[in-house]
Amino acid sequence: MDEIQGTIYDVVFRNEQNGYSVVELESEKKLITVVGYFAYVNIGETVKIHGTWVQHPDYGKQFKMEAYNTVTPSTLYGIEKYLASGLIAGIGPHTAKKMVEKFGVDTLDIIQYNPDRLSEVEGIGEKKAAKIFEAFQEQKELKDIMMFLEQYDISPTYAVKIFKAYGENTIAVLKENPYKLADDIAGVGFKMSDQIALSMGIPLDSEYRISSATRYCLNWFHGNGHTYAPQEELCRITAELLGVDEEIIQENIIKLFINKNLVLENLGDMRAVYSSSFYKAESGVARRLLQLRMYSLSKLNVDVDEELQKLEHSQGITLADNQKSAVREAMKNGVLVITGGPGTGKTTTIKTIIDLFERKGMSVLLAAPTGRAAKRMQEATGKEAKTLHRLLEFGFGESDEEMFFQKNEDSPLECGAIIVDEVSMIDIILMNNLLKAVAEGTRLILVGDMDQLPSVGPGNVLRDIIESEAVPIVRLNEIFRQAQESLIVVNAHRINHGEEPILDQKQKDFFFMHKEEQQDIVSTIVELCRERLPKYYKTTFMEGIQVLSPMKKGPCGIINLNNELQKILNPEAPDKKEKQFREFTFRVGDKVMQIKNNYKMKWQSIVDFEKEGEGIFNGDIGVIINIDSDEQIIEVVYDNEKLVKYDFALLDELELAYALTVHKSQGSEFPILVMPVTFGPKMLLTRNLLYTALTRAKQTVVLVGGEKYVHQMIVNNHITQRYSGLKTRLIKMAEML
């Protein structure tokens, strides 16, 4: 085995999932191509590498790495290149040069052992010196931990996540209890923690291993939208995972139940296994809905029919019978559900209810699950609408990990009525927190379309409430004349009823472009977005056009579509800063989406500099305005107001948003919608997904693909079953009243 030593000149390629890298090593004034699995490597680092020379048929002579270790750079050139690599936050090429000019070969020792002296360098104050020291220490610790985790085949991406969770205590925590990973870190599941544990000699039939696997499998059910797991299914899946008998799993579930680590309950002929949080939430929603329904309200001194006549006359509108029924029910009930598809008058009904409530001196609060849905509601009604998190005053306790809603049963919302839109998007946890904050005597009106895709989080809240018939429900099913003129609305309803859409009409708002090959579909979508649609509708892509897709992967999935659209809508340029991250290149000017709820993310208003807040949520769309490699941050502006600074370590919370999945588009409305219809997984190509997509368009829909796939989606009326006990609970409780 040969040995070479040198400085990493460039990282040509790196797979962040497994660490496989192609690097150029500068050794004795020559550049050597080195390939292999590096746990941790950065430009400027000095490394000693053991391996063998090989001849690649295309790329020539290479050094294949078998093992390596890092060496502290000792030359002025090596130290400067190491610091200039962007590895340490606060140090870029310019600062690195000045530091080396000042301290020479002692630069790294100064950073580590005497960081106060860094302020001797022009442009470095006390705060920046402290920041550089902290970043240097963190990188040193991270390197040690990544090398430790490499022996257990933990990828660099997950190694960084583990380090972020446990910091300098990482190795101690893992040696004591490797299964903590599955409980504490998103994306690091049981299999990875089990891999470490077994390498450390933990036996296959360890009770702790079985308990961890059971919780992991139960969380898998939650992650797929279920509030519980049927015990038989949970036992079978867990036993298959571990390679043990199902009886062992059943015994362990009983122990977990006795120790109050989970909840068991009979639902009909089936025994359900709940995590305690979802059991409490589901029980709380059922109980509170019926309490609000049964509460004796103070009567409103109003002749509803007379008031409706006045309103119709003054506003020049004519309400349908079921709209009037919705208004009457809202006046006399503590809880009301209003459901209906596009064009059925939900917004007009809401505005009418608000108007009558306010005439009686009642204060009305409006809310929706997401910022975009709340903004739509506000624009439609002319009244302030908040996200549910803002309405419920989401905050933190004494520690950053303690998150809670400040509005609850002890501090309820003060108002006469609450109207919530897009309820199909609300999961069981959020609904429970909302209901806790609704005081008895407050009227609650839930508005939504149960034929939309269900919430991303666990539960089937709106559908369960409607199907239980435990609270008053008004179905708006009449399409108004103006809406009937929209082929988007007409086709949405046709699809929802299992009928073929109208595809052959010209000069309408619904277009179908026939393309068979997936690459032709992609090329057509790119051309539509680059020139044809912006030119015809006198808009820009960023202002008026959104591409949706049923899937993530494949030529017509959002990953490829985002890359292709980025090339023509925001191409690379010498003066345009960018940051490579996994399969994406983030670039100044890019349209991006937050894909996780981050309640602690701080934002600053660029409109009112005194205004600031916390919380950026799953589905928020913004634009990158700056990338600072020295500070290792990306700056994104949301809603043309909120400026957020992302540390590079948080980039897994961002995705390009030129193309979105239909699921991610819920709660939004786009002037012009473009979507491929082509081959894909049957579980994704469903009727309610196509229906949901069409209802996101305000002005124009363009489908590109094959008619047979439209037909297949309409025929595929499969709605993935969600294990939820809310409907059963509501029916049982209502029968007892």
Side-chain angles (χ1 to χ4, degrees), residues 42 57 106 167 232 238 242 289 294 296 338 416 526 572 590:
N42 275 283
D106 297 326
E232 286 189 9
T238 309
L242 297 180
L289 272 175
M294 296 303 297
S296 181
I338 300 174
V526 168
E572 62 179 321
D590 274 339

Side-chain angles (χ1 to χ4, degrees), residues 410-425:
D410 298 321
S411 177
L413 296 163
E414 297 179 2
C415 60
I418 302 170
I419 303 177
V420 184
D421 198 8
E422 296 282 4
V423 177
S424 62
M425 298 177 66

Side-chain angles (χ1 to χ4, degrees), residues 93-108:
H94 183 63
T95 303
K97 185 176 181 62
K98 290 195 294 184
M99 290 172 68
V100 172
E101 287 175 350
K102 177 69 177 176
F103 301 120
V105 294
D106 297 326
T107 301
L108 297 180

Side-chain angles (χ1 to χ4, degrees), residues 217-218 220-222 225-231 233-234 263 265 267 270-275 278-279 282 458-459 464 721-726 728-729:
C217 291
L218 183 55
W220 178 88
F221 279 91
H222 297 328
H226 309 292
T227 60
Y228 69 83
Q231 184 173 345
E233 282 193 43
L234 180 61
V263 177
E265 184 177 42
L267 293 176
M270 181 265 301
R271 175 167 281 195
V273 184
Y274 283 88
S275 296
F278 289 105
Y279 176 78
E282 195 174 89
D464 280 353
Q721 181 185 6
R722 285 198 165 190
Y723 296 125
S724 165
L726 180 58
T728 302
R729 292 182 197 284

Side-chain angles (χ1 to χ4, degrees), residues 70-334:
T70 58
V71 179
T72 303
S74 56
T75 66
L76 293 178
Y77 171 78
I79 293 169
E80 182 179 336
K81 192 165 184 63
Y82 173 70
L83 293 175
S85 67
L87 178 67
I88 301 170
I91 303 179
H94 183 63
T95 303
K97 185 176 181 62
K98 290 195 294 184
M99 290 172 68
V100 172
E101 287 175 350
K102 177 69 177 176
F103 301 120
V105 294
D106 297 326
T107 301
L108 297 180
D109 287 339
I110 294 292
I111 296 174
Q112 186 169 4
Y113 303 114
N114 202 358
D116 291 344
R117 289 195 60 195
L118 293 176
S119 57
E120 296 175 19
V121 178
E122 182 185 353
I124 300 180
E126 290 184 11
K127 287 185 177 179
K128 188 169 183 178
K131 182 177 180 180
I132 290 172
F133 170 71
E134 290 174 5
F136 184 84
Q137 289 296 104
E138 184 176 278
Q139 289 300 322
K140 188 172 181 297
E141 292 165 359
L142 175 58
K143 186 186 301 182
D144 293 341
I145 286 161
M146 292 182 83
M147 297 293 284
F148 169 78
L149 292 172
E150 184 187 27
Q151 64 185 307
Y152 302 113
D153 294 325
I154 304 302
S155 75
T157 298
Y158 284 113
V160 172
K161 284 187 176 184
I162 293 168
F163 174 75
K164 289 292 181 183
Y166 304 128
E168 61 184 11
N169 299 318
T170 298
I171 294 175
V173 168
L174 295 185
K175 285 183 176 179
E176 179 184 349
N177 178 13
Y179 289 103
K180 275 183 68 64
L181 292 175
D183 296 331
D184 296 346
I185 302 173
V188 181
F190 168 80
K191 292 182 179 180
M192 191 176 295
S193 57
D194 194 42
Q195 181 178 312
I196 297 173
L198 295 179
S199 298
M200 291 179 173
I202 291 179
L204 291 173
D205 59 352
S206 160
E207 185 174 317
Y208 197 86
R209 180 175 186 252
I210 293 169
S211 296
S212 180
T214 302
R215 289 196 301 272
Y216 165 72
C217 291
L218 183 55
N219 286 331
W220 178 88
F221 279 91
H222 297 328
N224 282 276
H226 309 292
T227 60
Y228 69 83
Q231 184 173 345
E232 286 189 9
E233 282 193 43
L234 180 61
C235 288
R236 176 178 54 78
I237 291 172
T238 309
E240 288 175 358
L241 175 67
L242 297 180
V244 300
D245 292 336
E246 291 185 27
E247 290 77 11
I248 296 175
I249 309 300
Q250 289 190 24
E251 291 172 4
N252 187 258
I253 288 175
I254 299 300
K255 289 180 182 178
L256 290 171
F257 170 65
I258 292 171
N259 294 327
K260 298 183 179 179
N261 295 124
L262 49 77
V263 177
L264 295 176
E265 184 177 42
N266 292 326
L267 293 176
D269 297 330
M270 181 265 301
R271 175 167 281 195
V273 184
Y274 283 88
S275 296
S276 59
S277 59
F278 289 105
Y279 176 78
K280 290 175 182 176
E282 195 174 89
S283 301
V285 168
R287 181 176 60 254
R288 191 62 182 154
L289 272 175
L290 293 174
Q291 285 175 344
L292 293 171
R293 173 199 143 182
M294 296 303 297
Y295 188 80
S296 181
L297 298 171
S298 57
K299 290 187 177 181
L300 295 176
N301 185 21
V302 57
D303 185 328
V304 177
D305 291 335
E306 183 179 330
E307 292 293 337
L308 286 175
Q309 284 183 354
K310 291 178 182 178
L311 188 141
E312 286 180 313
H313 179 73
S314 64
Q315 297 191 8
I317 61 173
T318 301
L319 297 174
D321 289 342
N322 51 14
Q323 286 181 298
K324 293 177 181 178
S325 176
V327 177
R328 294 189 193 98
E329 294 297 320
M331 296 297 118
K332 67 182 183 182
N333 286 292

Side-chain angles (χ1 to χ4, degrees), residues 350 366-368 373-382 385 419-421:
I350 292 171
L366 307 182
K375 186 177 181 181
R376 282 181 57 207
M377 192 180 190
Q378 183 166 311
E379 291 171 348
T381 62
I419 303 177
V420 184
D421 198 8

Side-chain angles (χ1 to χ4, degrees), residues 498 500-501 503 690 706-716:
E500 297 293 325
L503 301 178
L690 181 58
E707 290 96 329
K708 65 180 179 181
Y709 297 111
V710 176
H711 174 74
Q712 286 177 13
M713 293 178 81
I714 294 169
V715 171
N716 183 12

